[in-house]
Amino acid sequence: MKTRYSFGGDEHIFVEVDEEMSLDAFFKAISITTALREKNLAGVAEICPANASFQVKYDPDVIAPDKMLEELKALESRAESAAKTITTRIVEVPVYFQDPWTHETLMRFRERHQDPSGSDLDYAARINGYDSAEAFVEAFHSQPWFVSMVGFVAGLPFMYQLVEREKQLQVPKYLRPRTDTPKQTVGYGGCFSCIYSVRGAGGYQMFGITPMPIFDPTETISYLSDFMVFFNPGDIVKFTPIGREEHDRIEADVKTGAWRPRIAEVSFDLAAWTADPAGTNAKLMEALDAA
Amino acid sequence: MPLKVLKPGLLTTVQDLGRPGYFHLGIPMGGAMDRLSLRAANLLVGNPEDAAALEAVFLGPELEFLSDGLVAVTGADLPILLDGEEQPGWTAIPVKAGQVLSFGYLRSGARIVIAVSGGIATEAALGSRSTYAIGALGGVDGRAIAAGDVIPTGEPGAGKPGATVPEALRRGPGSPAELRVLPGLFWHWITPDAQKHFFADEWKVAPEADRMGYRFKGGRPMEFEPRERPFGAGSDPSNIVDGCYPYGSVQVPGGTEPIVLHRDAVSGGGYFMVGTVISADMDLIGQLQPHMPVRFVEATMDGALAARAERKAVVARIREALA
């Protein structure tokens, strides 16, 4: 893991913590960006953590590019020795897998897919060595995920599953991106899951849909009334499978303000997780069940 | 000086200088594609430079003024008509309630900025009135203007009728347009030959050119250096582990057609980037039309900072000229 710095024009510094994805790289990125945010440095305009990298947008008239670079390198050396622990929250996200809406959409764009004969889930299950879509869905929802980046479009979380490298699910993106994806589709591309916050173009495989809105520009939904974007990098997500009836009930209750996502505050220690992934995950999910 | 929209044009949106601070949540800065034109138009009608105005692309709207005031149109060159009579661009034009502003066909450039006394006063979202249509934020109900909309405006300032921006301080695209690019990001992923071709080839603006980004075609496809695929990046040699995209960054999906991200940029994704258009040349991109020839010119950081200072100096001179 070797950090690489590059100027993105005169207003950005792009920092690649590692070329490949890992929890270590994500943790390093989030700890440097958190430290930079706390520093409140004049001239820093945007601090954007990503999966295994991050980016800073700054005003070179206030802080010179070389000075900005120096600041980041100093923060990096401090991050190396810092404890890899964060206080965060675990959120339960209900998902209706194999729903009719993403199914209708995937049929419409079948010619852009690697395997036009089946569904996105059938394909993902097969190439990951699962006997059935159900077995794949089980692997998908039984272990939690880290929100490793929020972006692409407004409020869209990228998630990386908290399992060892050899258990990671991997699925290529569509051969050619779709021009349409239903709002709140749960998708998958590379080693990342995502939730499409708005309807629009997309290239990730589509597995299901959540009745839980995660972006609300009107700030009228009960749990989005303080801020329109639900997710932050560092959040932990546990998907829970639901059926049609439950989906429709939650959707109706969101409208009346009666439904809110289940959330528990937790702390996450990377060393503890690395020593015992399954045990650490079980504790996270217990905290959620108790909430 | 509220406005009534008679015809909306092709895609006319409310824009100011944007809403920085939310890019880490996928909400782009937004704001006028051509910021110099926005600042100039506002100064002409006596508004603060960062007031909201209308940005129209390719085809102007038709607007009725509901009270007296000043209007200024900057940016692209096209006939500006007040009750059918041609008016000068980059100039404060006095108007009366009931008069109608309309436009002829574009002569050059791509976007005009229409500023009116008091500025557009639609509701701000996250500190800006800029329209971000994908997120339904800002503007008129989070969308482009539509026929029948009545657009509110603020308290008028003290603009001078007939004030004009000197020709020497107006900016538009040359032909071929030159975009200065600081190589970097994943520049080392392509071969030295591909690096040379990127700057040597003539590119053309593709039809896919909007506020999110501009696509270019016509140059040679890029060859990649051999590289083991990083875990999580995907199988195509142009894929990276999804990361952040700088404004102005040049991504090249599949190594074929470069895309330069602009004010409504997607904040990140899985395509490698070869460098970034310098901040001083971002306005110019907003004035490029599809099919226009474009060359990418290699920049250095010192060159980028000098160009940035020069651009600021032009704005300062416009300010002085209109003071």
Side-chain angles (χ1 to χ4, degrees), chain B residues 179-183 187 195 199 296-300:
Chain B
L179 296 178
R180 287 167 286 187
V181 173
L182 185 68
W187 179 241
Q195 295 179 345
F199 288 121
F296 296 110
V297 175
E298 185 163 1
T300 60

Side-chain angles (χ1 to χ4, degrees), chain B residues 2 10 23 33-34 51 75 78 80 104-105 121-122 144 147 161 171 193 237 240 244 251 290 299 304 311 320:
Chain B
L10 196 58
F23 208 32
M33 293 282 282
D34 179 350
L78 79 184
I80 301 161
Y105 290 113
T122 46
R171 290 290 178 272
D193 272 352
I240 59 170
C244 299
Q251 58 177 268
R311 193 83 185 171
E320 275 166 37

Side-chain angles (χ1 to χ4, degrees), chain B residues 189-208:
Chain B
W189 277 27
I190 57 173
T191 63
D193 272 352
Q195 295 179 345
K196 265 185 233 140
H197 298 162
F198 175 67
F199 288 121
D201 289 350
E202 187 173 281
W203 300 85
K204 278 195 163 58
V205 178
E208 301 90 346

